[in-house]
mmCIF file of all heavy atoms in Angstrom:
data_model
loop_
_atom_site.group_PDB
_atom_site.id
_atom_site.type_symbol
_atom_site.label_atom_id
_atom_site.label_comp_id
_atom_site.label_asym_id
_atom_site.label_seq_id
_atom_site.Cartn_x
_atom_site.Cartn_y
_atom_site.Cartn_z
ATOM 1 N N TRP A 1 7.773 -17.693 -148.433
ATOM 2 C CA TRP A 1 7.406 -17.156 -149.750
ATOM 3 C C TRP A 1 5.945 -16.739 -149.798
ATOM 4 O O TRP A 1 5.605 -15.723 -150.416
ATOM 5 C CB TRP A 1 7.748 -18.143 -150.862
ATOM 6 C CG TRP A 1 9.208 -18.099 -151.179
ATOM 7 C CD1 TRP A 1 10.140 -19.036 -150.871
ATOM 8 C CD2 TRP A 1 9.920 -17.041 -151.811
ATOM 9 N NE1 TRP A 1 11.384 -18.621 -151.284
ATOM 10 C CE2 TRP A 1 11.278 -17.406 -151.858
ATOM 11 C CE3 TRP A 1 9.538 -15.801 -152.347
ATOM 12 C CZ2 TRP A 1 12.249 -16.584 -152.432
ATOM 13 C CZ3 TRP A 1 10.521 -14.988 -152.918
ATOM 14 C CH2 TRP A 1 11.845 -15.379 -152.954
ATOM 15 N N ARG A 2 5.078 -17.496 -149.127
ATOM 16 C CA ARG A 2 3.659 -17.084 -149.065
ATOM 17 C C ARG A 2 3.530 -15.738 -148.374
ATOM 18 O O ARG A 2 2.789 -14.868 -148.823
ATOM 19 C CB ARG A 2 2.817 -18.139 -148.337
ATOM 20 C CG ARG A 2 2.443 -19.324 -149.188
ATOM 21 C CD ARG A 2 1.370 -20.197 -148.564
ATOM 22 N NE ARG A 2 1.687 -20.622 -147.218
ATOM 23 C CZ ARG A 2 2.374 -21.730 -146.912
ATOM 24 N NH1 ARG A 2 2.814 -22.509 -147.874
ATOM 25 N NH2 ARG A 2 2.600 -22.051 -145.659
ATOM 26 N N TRP A 3 4.263 -15.533 -147.279
ATOM 27 C CA TRP A 3 4.205 -14.268 -146.556
ATOM 28 C C TRP A 3 4.757 -13.125 -147.421
ATOM 29 O O TRP A 3 4.160 -12.049 -147.487
ATOM 30 C CB TRP A 3 4.975 -14.359 -145.230
ATOM 31 C CG TRP A 3 4.900 -13.097 -144.451
ATOM 32 C CD1 TRP A 3 3.877 -12.698 -143.638
ATOM 33 C CD2 TRP A 3 5.865 -12.036 -144.429
ATOM 34 N NE1 TRP A 3 4.152 -11.458 -143.106
ATOM 35 C CE2 TRP A 3 5.363 -11.032 -143.583
ATOM 36 C CE3 TRP A 3 7.106 -11.841 -145.038
ATOM 37 C CZ2 TRP A 3 6.062 -9.848 -143.324
ATOM 38 C CZ3 TRP A 3 7.795 -10.668 -144.782
ATOM 39 C CH2 TRP A 3 7.271 -9.690 -143.946
ATOM 40 N N LEU A 4 5.875 -13.361 -148.058
ATOM 41 C CA LEU A 4 6.480 -12.320 -148.900
ATOM 42 C C LEU A 4 5.563 -11.913 -150.059
ATOM 43 O O LEU A 4 5.553 -10.756 -150.470
ATOM 44 C CB LEU A 4 7.823 -12.804 -149.459
ATOM 45 C CG LEU A 4 8.977 -12.862 -148.462
ATOM 46 C CD1 LEU A 4 10.132 -13.676 -149.035
ATOM 47 C CD2 LEU A 4 9.431 -11.452 -148.082
ATOM 48 N N ALA A 5 4.778 -12.853 -150.575
ATOM 49 C CA ALA A 5 3.931 -12.589 -151.745
ATOM 50 C C ALA A 5 2.516 -12.129 -151.387
ATOM 51 O O ALA A 5 1.788 -11.673 -152.271
ATOM 52 C CB ALA A 5 3.850 -13.846 -152.602
ATOM 53 N N ALA A 6 2.146 -12.229 -150.116
ATOM 54 C CA ALA A 6 0.780 -11.862 -149.706
ATOM 55 C C ALA A 6 0.700 -10.405 -149.279
ATOM 56 O O ALA A 6 1.666 -9.847 -148.754
ATOM 57 C CB ALA A 6 0.330 -12.755 -148.554
ATOM 58 N N SER A 7 -0.450 -9.817 -149.488
ATOM 59 C CA SER A 7 -0.674 -8.443 -149.034
ATOM 60 C C SER A 7 -0.615 -8.398 -147.514
ATOM 61 O O SER A 7 -1.200 -9.247 -146.843
ATOM 62 C CB SER A 7 -2.028 -7.955 -149.522
ATOM 63 O OG SER A 7 -2.239 -6.634 -149.112
ATOM 64 N N SER A 8 0.094 -7.428 -146.977
ATOM 65 C CA SER A 8 0.228 -7.270 -145.533
ATOM 66 C C SER A 8 -0.527 -6.027 -145.084
ATOM 67 O O SER A 8 -0.171 -4.916 -145.481
ATOM 68 C CB SER A 8 1.702 -7.132 -145.158
ATOM 69 O OG SER A 8 1.823 -6.701 -143.816
ATOM 70 N N PRO A 9 -1.542 -6.190 -144.237
ATOM 71 C CA PRO A 9 -2.269 -5.014 -143.745
ATOM 72 C C PRO A 9 -1.358 -4.067 -142.949
ATOM 73 O O PRO A 9 -1.524 -2.864 -142.997
ATOM 74 C CB PRO A 9 -3.358 -5.593 -142.846
ATOM 75 C CG PRO A 9 -3.411 -7.048 -143.115
ATOM 76 C CD PRO A 9 -2.112 -7.440 -143.757
ATOM 77 N N VAL A 10 -0.398 -4.632 -142.248
ATOM 78 C CA VAL A 10 0.511 -3.807 -141.450
ATOM 79 C C VAL A 10 1.421 -2.980 -142.355
ATOM 80 O O VAL A 10 1.658 -1.799 -142.113
ATOM 81 C CB VAL A 10 1.336 -4.682 -140.487
ATOM 82 C CG1 VAL A 10 2.415 -3.871 -139.789
ATOM 83 C CG2 VAL A 10 0.425 -5.346 -139.467
ATOM 84 N N LEU A 11 1.930 -3.600 -143.411
ATOM 85 C CA LEU A 11 2.843 -2.909 -144.319
ATOM 86 C C LEU A 11 2.107 -2.101 -145.386
ATOM 87 O O LEU A 11 2.688 -1.223 -146.012
ATOM 88 C CB LEU A 11 3.775 -3.918 -144.992
ATOM 89 C CG LEU A 11 4.734 -4.657 -144.055
ATOM 90 C CD1 LEU A 11 5.449 -5.776 -144.801
ATOM 91 C CD2 LEU A 11 5.736 -3.694 -143.441
ATOM 92 N N GLY A 12 0.851 -2.450 -145.620
ATOM 93 C CA GLY A 12 0.074 -1.747 -146.633
ATOM 94 C C GLY A 12 0.383 -2.169 -148.052
ATOM 95 O O GLY A 12 -0.012 -1.502 -149.013
ATOM 96 N N ALA A 13 1.082 -3.277 -148.204
ATOM 97 C CA ALA A 13 1.461 -3.791 -149.521
ATOM 98 C C ALA A 13 2.025 -5.192 -149.338
ATOM 99 O O ALA A 13 2.191 -5.656 -148.214
ATOM 100 C CB ALA A 13 2.517 -2.892 -150.174
ATOM 101 N N ARG A 14 2.334 -5.837 -150.459
ATOM 102 C CA ARG A 14 3.039 -7.113 -150.382
ATOM 103 C C ARG A 14 4.485 -6.826 -150.002
ATOM 104 O O ARG A 14 5.094 -5.901 -150.555
ATOM 105 C CB ARG A 14 3.031 -7.824 -151.730
ATOM 106 C CG ARG A 14 1.673 -8.226 -152.215
ATOM 107 C CD ARG A 14 1.695 -8.947 -153.562
ATOM 108 N NE ARG A 14 2.821 -8.579 -154.412
ATOM 109 C CZ ARG A 14 3.476 -9.434 -155.207
ATOM 110 N NH1 ARG A 14 3.104 -10.691 -155.272
ATOM 111 N NH2 ARG A 14 4.472 -9.032 -155.941
ATOM 112 N N PRO A 15 5.077 -7.571 -149.073
ATOM 113 C CA PRO A 15 6.479 -7.339 -148.734
ATOM 114 C C PRO A 15 7.396 -7.313 -149.956
ATOM 115 O O PRO A 15 8.285 -6.452 -150.039
ATOM 116 C CB PRO A 15 6.807 -8.501 -147.788
ATOM 117 C CG PRO A 15 5.500 -8.770 -147.109
ATOM 118 C CD PRO A 15 4.467 -8.581 -148.188
ATOM 119 N N LEU A 16 7.162 -8.200 -150.917
ATOM 120 C CA LEU A 16 8.001 -8.212 -152.120
ATOM 121 C C LEU A 16 7.952 -6.878 -152.868
ATOM 122 O O LEU A 16 8.950 -6.456 -153.457
ATOM 123 C CB LEU A 16 7.566 -9.327 -153.066
ATOM 124 C CG LEU A 16 7.979 -10.747 -152.681
ATOM 125 C CD1 LEU A 16 7.373 -11.750 -153.660
ATOM 126 C CD2 LEU A 16 9.484 -10.893 -152.622
ATOM 127 N N ASP A 17 6.804 -6.206 -152.841
ATOM 128 C CA ASP A 17 6.666 -4.943 -153.561
ATOM 129 C C ASP A 17 7.408 -3.796 -152.883
ATOM 130 O O ASP A 17 7.610 -2.751 -153.495
ATOM 131 C CB ASP A 17 5.187 -4.572 -153.700
ATOM 132 C CG ASP A 17 4.436 -5.539 -154.604
ATOM 133 O OD1 ASP A 17 5.090 -6.204 -155.443
ATOM 134 O OD2 ASP A 17 3.199 -5.633 -154.462
ATOM 135 N N LEU A 18 7.791 -3.982 -151.634
ATOM 136 C CA LEU A 18 8.453 -2.924 -150.881
ATOM 137 C C LEU A 18 9.976 -2.988 -150.955
ATOM 138 O O LEU A 18 10.658 -2.090 -150.464
ATOM 139 C CB LEU A 18 8.016 -2.979 -149.414
ATOM 140 C CG LEU A 18 6.523 -2.785 -149.178
ATOM 141 C CD1 LEU A 18 6.194 -3.008 -147.716
ATOM 142 C CD2 LEU A 18 6.082 -1.413 -149.635
ATOM 143 N N LEU A 19 10.511 -4.026 -151.562
ATOM 144 C CA LEU A 19 11.944 -4.254 -151.518
ATOM 145 C C LEU A 19 12.763 -3.396 -152.476
ATOM 146 O O LEU A 19 13.979 -3.493 -152.490
ATOM 147 C CB LEU A 19 12.245 -5.745 -151.752
ATOM 148 C CG LEU A 19 11.613 -6.685 -150.721
ATOM 149 C CD1 LEU A 19 11.964 -8.126 -151.054
ATOM 150 C CD2 LEU A 19 12.033 -6.314 -149.312
ATOM 151 N N GLY A 20 12.124 -2.521 -153.204
ATOM 152 C CA GLY A 20 12.837 -1.665 -154.146
ATOM 153 C C GLY A 20 13.376 -0.379 -153.541
ATOM 154 O O GLY A 20 14.091 0.363 -154.213
ATOM 155 N N THR A 21 13.063 -0.120 -152.276
ATOM 156 C CA THR A 21 13.560 1.093 -151.624
ATOM 157 C C THR A 21 14.168 0.740 -150.278
ATOM 158 O O THR A 21 13.822 -0.279 -149.660
ATOM 159 C CB THR A 21 12.429 2.118 -151.369
ATOM 160 O OG1 THR A 21 11.523 1.570 -150.395
ATOM 161 C CG2 THR A 21 11.678 2.458 -152.652
ATOM 162 N N THR A 22 15.045 1.584 -149.816
ATOM 163 C CA THR A 22 15.671 1.387 -148.512
ATOM 164 C C THR A 22 14.621 1.400 -147.404
ATOM 165 O O THR A 22 14.650 0.568 -146.492
ATOM 166 C CB THR A 22 16.735 2.470 -148.247
ATOM 167 O OG1 THR A 22 17.703 2.394 -149.299
ATOM 168 C CG2 THR A 22 17.423 2.278 -146.920
ATOM 169 N N ALA A 23 13.680 2.329 -147.497
ATOM 170 C CA ALA A 23 12.619 2.414 -146.488
ATOM 171 C C ALA A 23 11.751 1.168 -146.507
ATOM 172 O O ALA A 23 11.334 0.664 -145.449
ATOM 173 C CB ALA A 23 11.772 3.659 -146.718
ATOM 174 N N GLY A 24 11.464 0.637 -147.685
ATOM 175 C CA GLY A 24 10.665 -0.573 -147.798
ATOM 176 C C GLY A 24 11.373 -1.780 -147.216
ATOM 177 O O GLY A 24 10.769 -2.577 -146.490
ATOM 178 N N VAL A 25 12.643 -1.901 -147.497
ATOM 179 C CA VAL A 25 13.435 -2.997 -146.932
ATOM 180 C C VAL A 25 13.428 -2.911 -145.410
ATOM 181 O O VAL A 25 13.233 -3.903 -144.716
ATOM 182 C CB VAL A 25 14.872 -2.994 -147.492
ATOM 183 C CG1 VAL A 25 15.769 -3.944 -146.706
ATOM 184 C CG2 VAL A 25 14.874 -3.354 -148.965
ATOM 185 N N ALA A 26 13.619 -1.706 -144.886
ATOM 186 C CA ALA A 26 13.614 -1.520 -143.436
ATOM 187 C C ALA A 26 12.271 -1.902 -142.830
ATOM 188 O O ALA A 26 12.211 -2.542 -141.776
ATOM 189 C CB ALA A 26 13.962 -0.072 -143.095
ATOM 190 N N ALA A 27 11.178 -1.535 -143.492
ATOM 191 C CA ALA A 27 9.845 -1.873 -142.993
ATOM 192 C C ALA A 27 9.618 -3.384 -142.989
ATOM 193 O O ALA A 27 9.067 -3.930 -142.027
ATOM 194 C CB ALA A 27 8.780 -1.175 -143.836
ATOM 195 N N VAL A 28 10.046 -4.065 -144.044
ATOM 196 C CA VAL A 28 9.877 -5.512 -144.119
ATOM 197 C C VAL A 28 10.738 -6.201 -143.058
ATOM 198 O O VAL A 28 10.268 -7.100 -142.358
ATOM 199 C CB VAL A 28 10.206 -6.040 -145.534
ATOM 200 C CG1 VAL A 28 10.226 -7.561 -145.568
ATOM 201 C CG2 VAL A 28 9.211 -5.485 -146.545
ATOM 202 N N LEU A 29 11.972 -5.754 -142.894
ATOM 203 C CA LEU A 29 12.829 -6.331 -141.855
ATOM 204 C C LEU A 29 12.252 -6.105 -140.462
ATOM 205 O O LEU A 29 12.292 -6.999 -139.609
ATOM 206 C CB LEU A 29 14.240 -5.753 -141.939
ATOM 207 C CG LEU A 29 15.085 -6.254 -143.101
ATOM 208 C CD1 LEU A 29 16.384 -5.467 -143.189
ATOM 209 C CD2 LEU A 29 15.360 -7.749 -142.970
ATOM 210 N N ASP A 30 11.704 -4.919 -140.227
ATOM 211 C CA ASP A 30 11.079 -4.616 -138.943
ATOM 212 C C ASP A 30 9.897 -5.546 -138.692
ATOM 213 O O ASP A 30 9.734 -6.079 -137.593
ATOM 214 C CB ASP A 30 10.645 -3.154 -138.889
ATOM 215 C CG ASP A 30 10.061 -2.796 -137.542
ATOM 216 O OD1 ASP A 30 10.769 -2.947 -136.525
ATOM 217 O OD2 ASP A 30 8.890 -2.368 -137.506
ATOM 218 N N GLU A 31 9.082 -5.754 -139.705
ATOM 219 C CA GLU A 31 7.925 -6.630 -139.565
ATOM 220 C C GLU A 31 8.361 -8.070 -139.318
ATOM 221 O O GLU A 31 7.788 -8.770 -138.475
ATOM 222 C CB GLU A 31 7.011 -6.540 -140.786
ATOM 223 C CG GLU A 31 5.767 -7.369 -140.670
ATOM 224 C CD GLU A 31 4.829 -6.957 -139.546
ATOM 225 O OE1 GLU A 31 5.038 -5.899 -138.907
ATOM 226 O OE2 GLU A 31 3.886 -7.711 -139.278
ATOM 227 N N LEU A 32 9.392 -8.533 -140.013
ATOM 228 C CA LEU A 32 9.909 -9.875 -139.767
ATOM 229 C C LEU A 32 10.412 -10.006 -138.334
ATOM 230 O O LEU A 32 10.192 -11.030 -137.678
ATOM 231 C CB LEU A 32 11.024 -10.214 -140.760
ATOM 232 C CG LEU A 32 10.560 -10.615 -142.150
ATOM 233 C CD1 LEU A 32 11.748 -10.678 -143.106
ATOM 234 C CD2 LEU A 32 9.816 -11.935 -142.131
#
């Protein structure tokens, strides 16, 4: 949960903020 809520330099945003789009979900899954 800390990782999901923290700003990610690699993703350019908080992972939670990216989950509203298919591309965002794919980016978060790739990073995981």
